[in-house]
Amino acid sequence: MFPDHPPTRLLLDGSQIDLESVLAVARRQMRVTLSESPAFHERIAAGPAFLDRLIEEDGVVYGVTTGYGDACTRAVPADQHGELPRHLYTFHGCGLGEILDIEAARAVILVRLVSLCRGVSGVSIELLERLVWLLEEDVIPVIPAEGSVGASGDLTPLSYLAAVLCGEREVFDQGQRRPTAEVFAERDLMPYRLRPKEGLALMNGTAVMTALACLAYGRAEQLSRLATRLTAMNCWALDGNPYHFDTDLFAAKPHAGQQRVAARLRRDLEQADGSDETPRNSSRLQDRYSTRCAPHVIGVLEDSLPWLRGFIENELNSANDNPLIDPVAGKVMHGGHFYGGHIAFAMDSLKTLVANIADLLDRQLALLVDTRYNHGLPANLSGARPERAPLNHGYKAVQIGVSAWTAEALKLTLPASVFSRSTESHNQDKVSMGTIAARDALRVLILTEQVVAGVLHGACQALDLRQALDVRLPPALAAFQRRCRECIAFVEEDRALEADLRYLCTHLPDLTEGMYAD
């Protein structure tokens, strides 16, 4: 459901939108409206009108007067043109695997809508209005995640969007899974009848992989900040050397994102009087790499975010179906914009960047729990009283879990884009695997967020234990520690931490809000 007083609307008129708009619409934080501009409506209407003229003149248009894919040389009789779109979404109704969650499916609808609003896909304004209706009514297609090779676009998952518009298959209605026909009947809405090009326009594009990439980007950006804050907590808890993040040191290696991470760490570790309370020639001249080199690890992700954004937003704002229609020039342009190579490369890159963050934090927790390396903290960060210490095992199992989640994340970094397969009678003989790459990236993000939850729980414990040794906690970390302690308690006696960890995984965005206003 939308909030009682929803925020401003996203106006779609064929102009570019940004990644944040996709996230806001997906999360029901922004509503969607089509432009009422006559110029926009005329541009959209020109496409189907041009196609109608071509059909009347016996023109040949792929997927409109011909079969699909390898069957493009097979002419379809004129009296069967109207049936073609239904056959397209029907025979592609073979998706399997997990169902996209509602947030992801809302993002898919918006991404497809943005592309069609470019005005070169030959669709009607009525189709665009139906897509807006789905978002506004929160009637969201049930879309299986598996079955796309990423060219010709996301055919199988997007067939579920096309079928729902036509009153078939299933939807989430206000979060409840129901038959589409029932939901339409309750709202007195007739199923939509697709025009000749509209089945292809809906399905033959990169909307699923791009939508998932938008969601992955948002989570990765959040992860970069969380990993930096966790590093500051762990560095302080380990009695580390903050001079590893010195301004002049990082001026010598001018990667902007890496410098930004180092600056955030300096601020986090700074005391109220501006000092860091560490003598320049401390006994810890050089900390271990997982803290000392943290800006260099997190910085690679931070420096990669701008070009990742560029790849994703260019795809988001593209017309990526086939063929494209130019009614002004009188052209039908047959090409391959449905190929998701840019998203595939971006997501294959992102999952490696993210898995490296998991590996970094896993190493930090391993130092925290080990008395050989944690500089005076109890074994396994146990908070038990001395007489209860033999019974209690603190974060021993959490560290094992963090290691397991990290290993799984690292295992998934094998690039999907190199596994192109020849499909569909060798018509689709080079495919992007972009959707698999995007799904992999989201899975790696989920695993890494679980690592963050485990390490954050342990880091809060470590801060409390270090403060018990009469060491002052820097103000930035103290404020964050207070926020965390509102939802997770200190572990004195062993207790099952699953509920705490699940809570943290769900509420990481809340904890990240307002973090680092740079």
Side-chain angles (χ1 to χ4, degrees):
M1 294 289 290
F2 284 99
D4 292 336
H5 301 287
T8 56
R9 289 179 177 263
L10 174 65
L11 181 69
L12 297 181
D13 60 2
S15 301
Q16 294 200 353
I17 73 166
D18 58 22
L19 232 152
E20 285 72 22
S21 296
V22 177
L23 298 179
V25 171
R27 296 166 182 165
R28 302 183 188 86
Q29 297 165 347
M30 182 180 286
R31 305 185 83 154
V32 177
T33 302
L34 290 178
S35 170
E36 296 181 1
S37 160
F40 171 68
H41 281 248
E42 289 167 9
R43 186 167 75 250
I44 297 299
F50 173 59
L51 282 174
D52 287 345
R53 291 199 303 274
L54 276 180
I55 294 170
E56 289 174 5
E57 296 166 3
D58 295 324
V60 177
V61 182
Y62 167 72
V64 176
T65 65
T66 74
Y68 297 113
D70 187 57
C72 64
T73 58
R74 188 172 67 208
V76 175
D79 63 351
Q80 296 178 10
H81 289 172
E83 296 181 61
L84 260 180
R86 186 175 188 279
H87 277 263
L88 179 64
Y89 71 70
T90 298
F91 77 78
H92 273 290
C94 57
L96 291 176
E98 299 285 334
I99 300 299
L100 294 184
D101 64 33
I102 294 174
E103 182 177 297
R106 286 181 61 85
V108 168
I109 298 170
L110 177 63
V111 171
R112 198 76 219 113
L113 184 55
V114 169
S115 181
L116 298 181
C117 283
R118 302 293 292 175
V120 290
S121 297
V123 304
S124 66
I125 198 72
E126 290 78 17
L127 177 65
L128 304 183
E129 289 170 344
R130 284 297 183 102
L131 291 170
V132 171
W133 184 91
L134 293 178
L135 291 170
E136 287 294 282
E137 291 292 315
D138 206 26
V139 174
I140 307 302
V142 173
I143 303 176
E146 297 175 10
S148 173
V149 294
S152 297
D154 290 314
L155 289 168
T156 289
L158 286 175
S159 76
Y160 289 78
L161 172 58
V164 160
L165 289 169
C166 299
E168 300 180 29
R169 301 187 193 171
E170 291 182 302
V171 294
F172 291 109
D173 177 22
Q174 308 296 325
Q176 300 299 311
R177 186 168 175 170
R178 302 180 59 201
T180 305
E182 285 184 11
V183 175
F184 280 15
E186 286 178 4
R187 289 168 167 80
D188 294 323
L189 183 73
M190 292 294 294
Y192 185 76
R193 183 172 177 81
L194 295 170
R195 292 176 55 86
K197 169 67 169 54
E198 289 181 338
L200 264 182
L202 283 165
M203 293 170 52
N204 190 203
T206 60
V208 175
M209 69 179 82
T210 304
L212 298 182
C214 289
L215 298 176
Y217 179 94
R219 292 167 78 159
E221 191 174 45
Q222 166 188 287
L223 177 66
S224 179
R225 294 169 181 266
L226 278 166
T228 304
R229 175 57 53 81
L230 272 173
T231 295
M233 296 169 75
N234 294 335
C235 182
W236 187 87
L238 289 165
D239 196 22
N241 188 345
Y243 282 112
H244 293 323
F245 316 124
D246 182 76
T247 304
D248 294 333
L249 172 65
F250 277 87
K253 192 172 185 183
H255 294 294
Q258 178 178 278
Q259 291 178 330
R260 190 158 52 248
V261 172
R264 290 169 177 172
L265 288 169
R266 286 196 299 274
R267 291 200 302 273
D268 277 354
L269 293 168
E270 187 177 73
Q271 289 290 348
D273 61 4
S275 73
D276 51 38
E277 292 196 337
T278 303
R280 187 170 293 274
N281 295 318
S282 72
S283 60
R284 291 298 306 156
L285 280 178
Q286 293 197 158
D287 292 334
R288 287 168 177 81
Y289 285 14
S290 62
T291 53
R292 188 188 350 156
C293 299
H296 308 78
V297 178
I298 304 169
V300 181
L301 171 59
E302 192 74 17
D303 276 308
S304 299
L305 288 172
W307 72 258
L308 288 169
R309 174 188 285 274
F311 271 34
I312 297 167
E313 287 188 340
N314 278 342
E315 192 72 33
L316 166 64
N317 290 291
S318 70
N320 46 64
D321 55 298
N322 175 60
L324 296 183
I325 309 298
D326 184 348
V328 176
K331 296 168 65 176
V332 177
M333 301 172 286
H334 295 89
H337 286 353
F338 47 68
Y339 187 86
H342 284 80
I343 295 296
F345 183 75
M347 293 296 98
D348 277 345
S349 302
L350 181 63
K351 64 190 183 187
T352 301
L353 294 164
V354 168
N356 265 302
I357 301 295
D359 198 33
L360 177 81
L361 298 176
D362 173 43
R363 297 298 86 216
Q364 292 179 7
L365 182 60
L367 295 177
L368 281 175
V369 299
D370 194 327
T371 55
R372 293 172 297 176
Y373 311 111
N374 66 17
H375 303 107
L377 297 178
N380 296 304
L381 302 178
S382 174
R385 298 187 306 276
E387 65 274 16
R388 301 284 295 174
L391 280 174
N392 283 276
H393 294 76
Y395 285 78
K396 184 185 289 286
V398 172
Q399 193 271 325
I400 294 171
V402 165
S403 185
W405 304 323
T406 299
E408 188 172 347
L410 293 168
K411 179 177 70 71
L412 290 173
T413 57
L414 187 68
S417 54
V418 300
F419 286 93
S420 176
R421 316 292 299 154
S422 186
T423 63
E424 205 260 304
S425 302
H426 300 294
N427 175 50
Q428 301 174 13
D429 60 350
K430 175 61 179 170
V431 294
S432 75
M433 298 298 182
T435 312
I436 295 174
R439 286 174 35 234
D440 281 352
L442 282 169
R443 177 60 183 157
V444 170
L445 277 156
I446 289 169
L447 289 162
T448 303
E449 288 163 356
Q450 291 173 189
V451 169
V452 167
V455 177
L456 176 57
H457 210 298
C460 288
Q461 183 88 353
L463 293 189
D464 285 341
L465 292 169
R466 182 65 69 187
Q467 287 182 95
L469 301 176
D470 293 328
V471 185
R472 285 193 305 161
L473 187 59
L477 299 186
F480 186 69
Q481 175 82 335
R482 286 192 295 272
R483 288 181 66 185
C484 293
R485 282 291 179 236
E486 291 173 1
C487 52
I488 56 169
F490 182 80
V491 179
E492 181 175 338
E493 289 282 317
D494 288 345
R495 68 173 192 267
L497 294 178
E498 178 187 348
D500 283 15
L501 296 177
R502 289 191 183 277
Y503 181 93
L504 287 173
C505 287
T506 303
H507 290 87
L508 288 178
D510 301 329
L511 291 172
T512 315
E513 188 175 357
M515 186 183 289
Y516 304 126
D518 55 16

